Amino acid sequence: MKLRFLIVLSMLFFACNTDDEPVIADAALEGEWQLLNVVCYCSFEPDTDFSLTKINFDTDRSRVTVIHDGQYSFFREAGEHFYGGQGDRIGFSDDTVYRFEVEGSLLTLTLQDNPEIADDEVTFVFKR
């Protein structure tokens, strides 16, 4: 009897998954966003028009479409990109991960940087 109990108990123990964080909370991302600003350890020309970059989240399909109407490519290359993640993290197939926060009509995407590189922090601020 004790052996059966130990077997059942061990099966329950190994069935538990410690990665049970909530799936990505991306409902607030849905729709079109226009780039407002890029914050980083870099410089841009004073007349750089960030608003020429737009992104459109389709949360049902877990895809984001990036459009660049200007000469610069901000955030990601133009086109459709699949994303996944957990909680407030968005990950792409090239292993880049962004933390996102939506406050009212503003979306902030912050690159989860490499802690060994001091100047690779970048934050993208979008507005609806």
Side-chain angles (χ1 to χ4, degrees), residues 2 4 20 25 30 42 44 46 57-59 61 72 77 84 89 93 102 106 111 118 126-128:
K2 288 182 183 180
R4 286 184 189 169
D20 287 341
E30 183 71 35
C42 49
F44 297 102
F57 278 94
D58 181 348
T59 56
R61 296 177 47 228
Y72 299 109
E77 293 297 319
R89 304 279 191 271
S93 60
V102 177
L106 293 180
L111 178 66
F126 292 88
K127 67 177 178 177
R128 280 207 197 267

Side-chain angles (χ1 to χ4, degrees), residues 75-86:
F75 182 57
R76 305 196 61 76
E77 293 297 319
E80 192 174 70
H81 304 274
F82 174 78
Y83 69 89
Q86 288 186 319

Side-chain angles (χ1 to χ4, degrees), residues 59-119:
T59 56
D60 291 335
R61 296 177 47 228
S62 296
R63 299 201 185 264
V64 61
T65 302
V66 180
I67 301 164
H68 301 292
D69 291 332
Q71 65 181 4
Y72 299 109
S73 177
F74 298 108
F75 182 57
R76 305 196 61 76
E77 293 297 319
E80 192 174 70
H81 304 274
F82 174 78
Y83 69 89
Q86 288 186 319
D88 64 347
R89 304 279 191 271
I90 295 175
F92 292 95
S93 60
D94 62 356
D95 294 328
T96 55
V97 177
Y98 297 85
R99 188 177 73 72
F100 73 89
E101 181 177 359
V102 177
E103 281 190 32
S105 64
L106 293 180
L107 164 65
T108 304
L109 293 167
T110 303
L111 178 66
Q112 299 298 280
D113 65 331
N114 182 344
E116 297 170 6
I117 302 173
D119 64 348

Side-chain angles (χ1 to χ4, degrees), residues 20-31:
D20 287 341
E21 288 185 38
V23 294
I24 188 168
D26 63 350
L29 296 173
E30 183 71 35

